[in-house]
Amino acid sequence: MSELTELAVRLRGFAQARDWEQFHAPKNLVMALAGEVGELVAEFQWLTPAEAENPDPDTMARVRAELGDVTGYLVRLADVLGVDLIAAAHVKLDESERRYPPELYRGSARKAPPLP
């Protein structure tokens, strides 16, 4: 069992033990995920680029906690919807590799046209 699957099983058990599955509709999980991403963004909002690259220990502890929250909600959402996160990420990366060939996009931030 992969670590991601182990985490999904643990999160599922956590929700089941508390009878919280009733609250874990995809809509609710997406909203909770968005809120946690907002809390992560807030940790970086007023940092300079240099500070963001090397956060002080207190900031890093808060960032680590928020990343844990984001990961938990994302994994729980994928579990509820039956989505294999790793497979989904590979599919998106395959698409990005087709849309952004290195010989045309190296060092460029321009947007690629949609795939046909």
Side-chain angles (χ1 to χ4, degrees):
M1 183 181 302
S2 74
E3 287 186 40
L4 195 58
T5 301
E6 288 177 12
L7 179 58
V9 168
R10 185 173 176 199
L11 288 164
R12 188 182 318 133
F14 180 87
Q16 287 171 342
R18 290 155 181 80
D19 192 27
W20 286 355
E21 289 182 302
Q22 62 183 316
F23 307 118
H24 285 194
K27 175 197 74 76
N28 296 354
L29 292 168
V30 167
M31 292 172 69
L33 175 60
E36 295 300 339
V37 168
E39 291 179 21
L40 178 60
V41 168
E43 292 300 331
F44 288 91
Q45 185 172 8
W46 303 114
L47 299 181
T48 66
E51 290 169 333
E53 288 178 19
N54 189 24
D56 64 60
D58 289 341
T59 300
M60 195 62 211
R62 291 190 307 272
V63 165
R64 192 175 291 109
E66 295 307 335
L67 285 169
D69 288 339
V70 167
T71 301
Y73 279 115
L74 180 62
V75 169
R76 183 72 183 122
L77 175 64
D79 185 43
V80 166
L81 291 174
V83 172
D84 179 330
L85 278 176
I86 301 301
H90 280 294
V91 167
K92 286 299 292 184
L93 185 54
D94 291 344
E95 180 182 304
S96 292
E97 287 175 335
R98 289 191 306 276
R99 288 185 71 199
Y100 297 97
E103 62 275 7
L104 298 177
Y105 287 90
R106 186 178 322 276
S108 171
R110 67 186 162 96
K111 185 123 173 100
L115 286 173

